[in-house]
Amino acid sequence: MVRRVAIIGAGVSGLASIRSCLEEGLEPTCFERSNDIGGLWKFSNHAEEGRASIYKSVFTNSSKEMMCFPDVPFPDDFPNFIYHGKLQEYITAFAREKDLLKYIQFERLVTSVTKRCDFSVTGQWDITTEKDGKKESTIFDAVMICSGHHVYPNIPKESFPGLKDFKGQCLHSRDYKEPGIWKGKRVLVIGLGNSGCDIAAELSHTAEQVMISSRSGSWVMSRVWDDGYPWDMVFITRFQTLLKNNLPTAVSDWWYVKQMNARFKHENYGLMPLNGTLRKEPVFNDELPARILCGTVSIKPNVKKFTKTAAIFEDGTMFEAIDCVIFATGYGYAYPFLDESIIRSRNNVVTLFKGIFPPQLEKSTLAVIGLVQSLGAAIPTTDLQARWAAQVIKGTCVLPSVKDMMDDIDKKMGKKRKLFGKSETIQTDYIDYMDELASFIGAKPNIPWLFLTDPKLAVEVFFGPCSPYQFRLVGPGKWSGARNAILTQWDRTLKPTSTRIVGDLQKPSVCFHLFKFLAIPILFIALFLMLI
């Protein structure tokens, strides 16, 4: 019999899951609480309970060639970094092209996901949904949770003494939509993440004064990287990953800090992270350094306490006559329809094999898609997660033993503590993670074999950007257009900026970048030889 799969959420993770289920011959039913697809990227003029919320000016931090579905490139004329409305247009076109909409039940809220009494034998779940006040229960063979992790705002009020006495307005960044109402106001933004920096930079054009309070600092990267190319097309490559994974830690850390400081010296702007060698997610903001230079944004340390009208920082300075405090303090991830112990199976910490499967379940029929974060884009990550999860649900792929999965989780936690500073983070290294998932389903490109059989493609795959198309070159779900998409990715990157032709378009030179990267280890080897 065809296995029935319940998919919760119709954002990019949900759409990837529907498509993957169909590719594996499964029968998906997707439940979406709103009236449209898109999830996070479906803009609304007001924050809605239980749904992600973005502000009006949001653009993507990943470029179009690095964030597309692996067999559906963005249109040539789309800009490299995409406004949320254009991305929603692409997501809708993808859903229609793959004929996914007919599998989605809109305006239906999932209220309960529970194991059936015979779960240890069947692996089945009872799914209770609600629409127009009427509840309905259905049996499914598996569940894919695709509800995202930008839904439940984290506001650590207990960390700020005196906040309850503050007379100004307080809100979370999810409730911010546009800057107009803050004209002439004095605004404090707490948090130096992407949302906090975006909001602060935008407000600084209309507000009287904006300050950002940061506890630990952050690297601030530009979307425009070496020679004017999109940052991820240059930064996320297999060659760079190979070097960083094999260089001595001291050399790798020095190189990383040098890359992060290439645009400006973070120490001079008050932005320097407390531990600059940690690979915590950087901030992408092209405007913030300029706003700091212009004096319309100031960076401050953590707030020590609030008074009725002011904030006193840990360095003893004060920001007075504050009209509004915006908490850009991130989100907690929760699944209120599910027994929390299933996801947080050990010490109340999210415990998932490869960030997807609860290892303690008797049957591997529940998968969490889209929880993992990395420097890479969400769409290709969720696509690969869903492909593997669908094969596990079908039975084509089999998970290791509980002990082996827990050992792997412990090993990864140790690595995360070293890279990101904390073991419970949902962050991971993009290329290593993608290759690991791809290897489970036979979709990982064989680089040495490519150099032997297709050297032109191999050079682009290894030295060029690790674009999503690489994971549809071989194996199940192979796309016949993947090779050509890889070889023409720079054409699509340069086309939208080539609106005034002044000469031949300049694509990156592999030899130049190879020399630049190799110069670092060569320099250290030379210094070592000089000292012995």
Side-chain angles (χ1 to χ4, degrees):
M1 293 179 63
V2 176
R3 295 175 67 80
R4 301 184 66 205
V5 182
I7 297 169
I8 304 173
V12 294
S13 300
L15 295 177
S17 296
I18 297 171
R19 196 263 285 264
S20 294
C21 285
L22 294 173
E23 287 181 332
E24 295 301 323
L26 304 172
E27 184 181 310
T29 300
C30 179
F31 301 108
E32 168 56 44
R33 67 180 295 162
S34 73
N35 62 0
D36 202 355
I37 62 174
L40 174 68
W41 295 104
K42 177 61 179 176
F43 176 76
S44 174
N45 284 313
H46 61 277
E48 301 173 19
E49 183 184 357
R51 291 196 65 231
S53 177
I54 56 175
Y55 35 95
K56 195 174 245 183
S57 58
V58 162
F59 279 77
T60 63
N61 291 331
S62 298
S63 64
K64 66 176 183 178
E65 288 301 304
M66 299 294 281
M67 69 172 293
C68 61
F69 285 100
D71 56 341
V72 184
F74 280 90
D76 289 4
D77 59 348
F78 267 45
N80 282 288
F81 295 98
I82 302 169
Y83 182 60
H84 64 77
K86 295 286 282 184
L87 181 55
Q88 180 68 8
E89 180 185 322
Y90 167 80
I91 292 169
T92 301
F94 169 80
R96 288 175 177 161
E97 178 181 325
K98 301 299 181 182
D99 198 21
L100 307 180
L101 297 176
K102 64 185 179 183
Y103 300 97
I104 304 172
Q105 296 185 21
F106 291 103
E107 298 181 326
R108 186 168 286 278
L109 172 67
V110 174
T111 59
S112 174
V113 175
T114 57
K115 299 177 184 177
R116 302 209 76 218
C117 58
D118 57 353
F119 180 84
S120 61
V121 177
T122 65
Q124 291 181 325
W125 301 83
D126 281 319
I127 311 293
T128 303
T129 62
E130 182 178 338
K131 182 171 184 176
D132 299 329
K134 297 178 181 179
K135 290 192 175 183
E136 182 180 299
S137 187
T138 313
I139 299 170
F140 284 91
D141 298 299
V143 182
M144 299 174 80
I145 300 175
C146 307
S147 52
H149 52 86
H150 293 95
V151 176
Y152 302 100
N154 172 45
I155 306 179
K157 293 182 178 180
E158 67 283 352
S159 301
F160 300 101
L163 183 61
K164 65 180 183 298
D165 299 319
F166 177 67
K167 300 301 182 183
Q169 185 177 359
C170 291
L171 65 136
H172 190 270
S173 57
R174 73 177 258 107
D175 296 307
Y176 173 87
K177 292 298 175 180
E178 51 87 24
I181 61 174
W182 309 112
K183 184 176 182 180
K185 305 293 185 180
R186 295 168 63 82
V187 182
L188 172 63
V189 178
I190 295 180
L192 194 63
N194 283 303
S195 295
C197 291
D198 279 354
I199 291 169
E202 184 172 60
L203 283 174
S204 70
H205 292 278
T206 55
E208 177 187 320
Q209 180 63 51
V210 179
M211 287 194 179
I212 301 176
S213 169
S214 173
R215 183 176 55 193
S216 56
S218 182
W219 294 117
V220 178
M221 292 175 65
S222 172
R223 292 177 178 87
V224 184
W225 206 244
D226 293 350
D227 302 318
Y229 300 116
W231 76 272
D232 47 359
M233 297 281 284
V234 179
F235 195 83
I236 301 179
T237 72
R238 292 183 176 278
F239 178 62
Q240 281 212 51
T241 297
L242 178 69
L243 282 184
K244 289 173 182 176
N245 288 346
N246 290 280
L247 285 172
T249 300
V251 178
S252 180
D253 288 348
W254 171 83
W255 182 17
Y256 178 73
V257 172
K258 183 175 175 60
Q259 284 182 305
M260 294 298 102
N261 255 334
R263 183 180 170 209
F264 64 93
K265 301 299 181 185
H266 284 62
E267 300 94 323
N268 298 342
Y269 289 72
L271 296 167
M272 185 72 181
L274 291 180
N275 187 341
T277 61
L278 292 179
R279 271 54 165 186
K280 292 168 64 178
E281 183 182 6
V283 169
F284 290 92
N285 196 291
D286 303 287
E287 194 179 10
L288 183 63
R291 304 315 297 168
I292 295 173
L293 282 177
C294 292
T296 55
V297 175
S298 300
I299 309 298
K300 287 291 185 178
N302 196 37
V303 174
K304 183 179 181 181
K305 67 176 182 179
F306 282 94
T307 68
K308 290 182 179 181
T309 60
I312 301 172
F313 302 102
E314 290 182 345
D315 62 0
T317 58
M318 182 183 295
F319 186 27
E320 298 182 286
I322 301 173
D323 294 294
C324 180
V325 177
I326 299 176
F327 287 90
T329 44
Y331 296 84
Y333 25 93
Y335 306 103
F337 47 78
L338 185 70
D339 180 354
E340 196 174 61
S341 65
I342 293 175
I343 302 294
R344 299 177 183 270
S345 60
R346 186 174 62 178
N347 302 325
N348 201 36
V349 174
V350 172
T351 308
L352 298 171
F353 180 59
K354 306 305 178 188
I356 300 172
F357 289 102
Q360 306 283 8
L361 280 181
E362 304 98 307
K363 297 289 184 178
S364 304
T365 57
L366 185 141
V368 180
I369 308 299
L371 180 62
V372 167
Q373 282 185 306
S374 71
L375 265 185
I379 291 177
T381 304
T382 58
D383 180 79
L384 200 46
Q385 287 180 327
R387 290 165 67 190
W388 179 43
Q391 291 200 20
V392 171
I393 290 168
K394 183 180 180 180
T396 307
C397 291
V398 179
L399 297 184
S401 68
V402 173
K403 181 183 183 303
D404 287 346
M405 287 192 283
M406 294 303 294
D407 288 345
D408 181 82
I409 290 169
D410 289 337
K411 180 180 177 182
K412 292 295 190 296
M413 281 185 171
K415 184 178 180 181
K416 286 180 177 182
R417 190 178 292 111
K418 179 181 177 182
L419 285 177
F420 308 115
K422 51 185 180 180
S423 60
E424 69 273 15
T425 180
I426 57 176
Q427 280 187 264
T428 190
D429 183 86
Y430 178 67
I431 293 180
D432 289 343
Y433 181 69
M434 294 289 279
D435 276 349
E436 195 170 31
L437 296 187
S439 67
F440 294 151
I441 63 173
K444 179 183 175 181
N446 186 328
I447 307 300
W449 180 250
L450 275 182
F451 271 106
L452 289 174
T453 59
D454 194 342
K456 182 179 180 180
L457 178 63
V459 167
E460 195 63 35
V461 167
F462 185 65
F463 293 106
C466 186
S467 50
Y469 319 117
Q470 294 191 13
F471 301 101
R472 290 270 180 178
L473 275 170
V474 296
K478 176 182 176 180
W479 177 42
S480 60
R483 181 183 186 276
N484 183 64
I486 292 169
L487 296 178
T488 57
Q489 58 196 357
W490 283 108
D491 296 325
R492 290 186 299 279
T493 299
L494 296 175
K495 182 173 180 178
T497 60
S498 306
T499 53
R500 174 175 173 260
I501 305 301
V502 292
D504 294 335
L505 296 181
Q506 301 297 307
K507 299 177 185 179
S509 166
V510 170
C511 293
F512 172 74
H513 288 295
L514 176 61
F515 172 79
K516 183 169 65 174
F517 293 133
L518 286 178
I520 296 170
I522 290 171
L523 174 63
F524 276 91
I525 292 171
L527 289 172
F528 175 76
L529 293 174
M530 289 174 61
L531 294 173
I532 62 174

